[in-house]
Amino acid sequence: MKRFHWPLQRLFDVTVQRERALRQELLDLAREAATVRQRLLHRRVVLRMELDRLAEEQPSRRLARQELFMNCAAAAAAPLRALQAQWASLERRREEVMRRFVATRTSRQTLERRREEARQAHLREQDKLEQRQFDEGAHVAFARRVIRARVADAG
């Protein structure tokens, strides 16, 4: 039986590799975004805890410390905004990679389906050829038996 050869196999292989690479990139981006998000949340919690501590102090001491805290909080806001922007950027990149991943996965699935259809067509064609060979062999064998029988009857 002739081996199955699909002309688009190389394209399929490249598409599978691209899908794996995009999946890995998605995982990396998700991990990095989670790390940045965790750092952002941690900084916010630290600021909130400091503010809560200030709220528990006596009003006379709190006023002076609150002014200092507010000055420091303004300086701490810049890194928070930077982390927020970094996280938003990572999320946008992740969404873009996700779109590319879905398109690549759809392409792979389409190629997979077409390859299977081509393989099934190849198997049907090979079965037809094999059946033709069996039929031809049977006809030849029958013809030989008939010829032998005529030769035996004539002789």
Side-chain angles (χ1 to χ4, degrees), residues 13-120:
D13 293 341
V14 168
T15 304
V16 168
Q17 288 174 353
R18 188 174 296 138
E19 182 183 10
R20 278 191 208 124
L22 287 170
R23 180 179 285 124
Q24 185 61 46
E25 188 176 350
L26 266 176
L27 289 173
D28 292 344
L29 283 171
R31 239 183 256 121
E32 189 176 349
T35 302
V36 169
R37 179 97 170 126
Q38 190 65 31
R39 287 182 14 218
L40 179 66
L41 291 175
H42 177 72
R43 285 186 179 217
R44 284 182 179 165
V45 165
V46 167
L47 285 174
R48 173 88 46 206
M49 285 173 33
E50 284 296 319
L51 194 57
D52 289 344
R53 252 189 268 158
L54 271 176
E56 292 174 358
E57 288 190 16
Q58 295 176 3
S60 60
R61 291 188 61 212
R62 182 177 66 204
L63 197 56
R65 293 196 60 197
Q66 190 170 350
E67 183 180 349
L68 179 64
F69 174 79
M70 294 309 278
N71 289 336
C72 291
L80 282 174
R81 283 192 300 274
L83 282 172
Q84 182 70 35
Q86 183 181 4
W87 180 74
S89 171
L90 286 168
E91 283 299 310
R92 282 191 302 275
R93 277 184 49 210
R94 190 184 64 77
E95 288 171 6
E96 174 58 32
V97 171
M98 179 60 92
R99 279 192 290 278
R100 289 187 359 232
F101 171 75
V102 168
T104 303
R105 184 178 59 192
T106 303
S107 175
R108 180 204 36 93
Q109 290 170 339
T110 301
L111 287 169
E112 217 167 48
R113 189 181 73 249
R114 289 187 178 189
R115 181 181 65 180
E116 184 58 28
E117 290 168 358
R119 191 180 71 75
Q120 292 296 328

